[in-house]
Amino acid sequence: MIEKFYRRMLDGIPAAIIAADKNLKVVFVNAKFKELFPSALNRGKLGSLLCCAKNADKCGIAPCKEDCTIREAFEDCFYSRAEVNRRVLLNVKIEGVVREVAFNIDVKPLGDGIYMGVIDNAYELEIARELQTAQNIQQRLLPAGTWAGSHRYSYMYIPCRGIGGDLPDVYTIGDSAFGMIADVSGKGVAAGMLSAFVKAAYDKTEYSPAQAIRSLCEKFSALNLDERSYVTVAAVRIDQGSITYSMAGHNVPMLLKSAGGITRITLNSPPVSNWFENPAYFEDTIPYSRGDILVLLTDGVTESRNLKGEMFGAERAIKTLSVSKSAEDFISNLQQNLKRFCGEFSDDITAIAFDL
């Protein structure tokens, strides 16, 4: 009876608690620990209870034990018989997804060969888990196929942080292929939330790109965000022999490769924001020929900088397109050239390319 009472008290504590014996066999974990590390076990090997992504089933005998911080924390407590505090970096595997987590753990001797570890900043782990969930959700917002209408397409999406503020979208209405690329203000979680709003609010039943952007602007205005929040958009409809396009504050030109060279397509209009009352959005139509390639970019591509501070620029994107034979080839070449030029990215990198 008393044991059950104590167990309920430990399960009610917001800190994650794990107790192990001198052989590093876990003998107890509380409810908060199981919430953070949802292993099917309640007792057993330390690595298995922590959902270690390396060698959980061989915990203690695998080579990784030599540099395992949490194992070192318990062993130091065993030998010193004093409280030990460690910062732990750990790759965990939960629901088939591997992620890196960081936390502090205090290990204390309890007597009778039992040692207790208390993870006192479990909130940090919860944030990491929520961010991983958000990343998984954002990945599901990306285009899933390679064809729209009768046109093959390819794209790349590289967020500079775990969650990005760019949004590529490709879909079909009737016989027409549609492409939309959006770049929201900011980076990280807030930008990711705004890009999710754009995904939900953009009307994919609307045949006119300009009207779809106009409708998005009306829904954005209803959010009543401050002037720091905005969205730039480029949208296209690809019909038989023609491209109809519209832009909202998207200062990066679309590119069209044809037998006559490369055309840079621009159209001035304000971004989706609360900066203006009743902003006007327009569209235009241009022809294309079979074998052409249409490219939509965000400014993360053209404004990426190398260590010297030089921008990748539209001209390098144009040069990449000039030597590419297909949409897929362009996306592959662009990604390689950007990584070669910049190394690491300070902004989200997004591009869509269509074979026409």
Side-chain angles (χ1 to χ4, degrees), residues 71-190:
R71 185 180 182 86
E72 288 176 0
F74 274 92
E75 288 180 337
D76 287 351
C77 185
F78 299 162
Y79 296 131
S80 67
R81 297 183 181 179
E83 181 177 345
V84 171
N85 179 272
R86 291 287 186 273
R87 179 71 171 173
V88 178
L89 299 176
L90 187 68
N91 287 322
V92 300
K93 186 174 184 179
I94 297 175
E95 296 179 352
V97 177
V98 176
R99 68 176 186 273
E100 185 179 87
V101 297
F103 55 89
N104 295 329
I105 186 167
D106 287 299
V107 184
K108 306 175 183 180
L110 296 181
D112 295 328
I114 302 297
Y115 301 82
M116 178 180 71
V118 180
I119 299 174
D120 58 1
N121 60 339
Y123 184 63
E124 185 177 344
L125 282 173
E126 290 184 280
I127 291 176
R129 185 175 61 187
E130 293 300 321
L131 286 175
Q132 182 63 57
T133 300
Q135 291 174 30
N136 293 341
I137 292 173
Q138 191 168 64
Q139 287 296 315
R140 294 175 183 271
L141 300 181
L142 301 177
T146 57
W147 288 86
S150 58
H151 301 281
R152 190 175 182 86
Y153 71 89
S154 185
Y155 75 95
M156 70 173 178
Y157 170 69
I158 306 174
C160 68
R161 300 180 183 176
I163 301 174
D166 284 0
L167 176 68
D169 205 0
V170 180
Y171 55 98
T172 302
I173 301 178
D175 295 327
S176 301
F178 288 74
M180 185 273 287
I181 195 165
D183 185 358
V184 311
S185 55
K187 298 180 180 67
V189 176

Side-chain angles (χ1 to χ4, degrees), residues 38-56:
S39 168
L41 306 175
N42 290 320
R43 297 170 180 265
K45 295 179 181 178
L46 186 64
S48 298
L49 271 292
L50 284 161
C51 303
C52 179
K54 292 185 178 179
N55 291 287

Side-chain angles (χ1 to χ4, degrees), residues 188-224:
V189 176
M193 293 180 67
L194 192 51
S195 68
F197 160 79
V198 173
K199 174 75 173 184
Y202 192 82
D203 187 357
K204 294 201 291 187
T205 66
E206 175 57 57
Y207 194 67
S208 163
Q211 183 55 44
I213 294 176
R214 193 173 298 116
S215 174
L216 175 65
C217 191
E218 292 172 356
K219 295 173 183 176
F220 182 91
S221 296
L223 294 178
N224 198 29

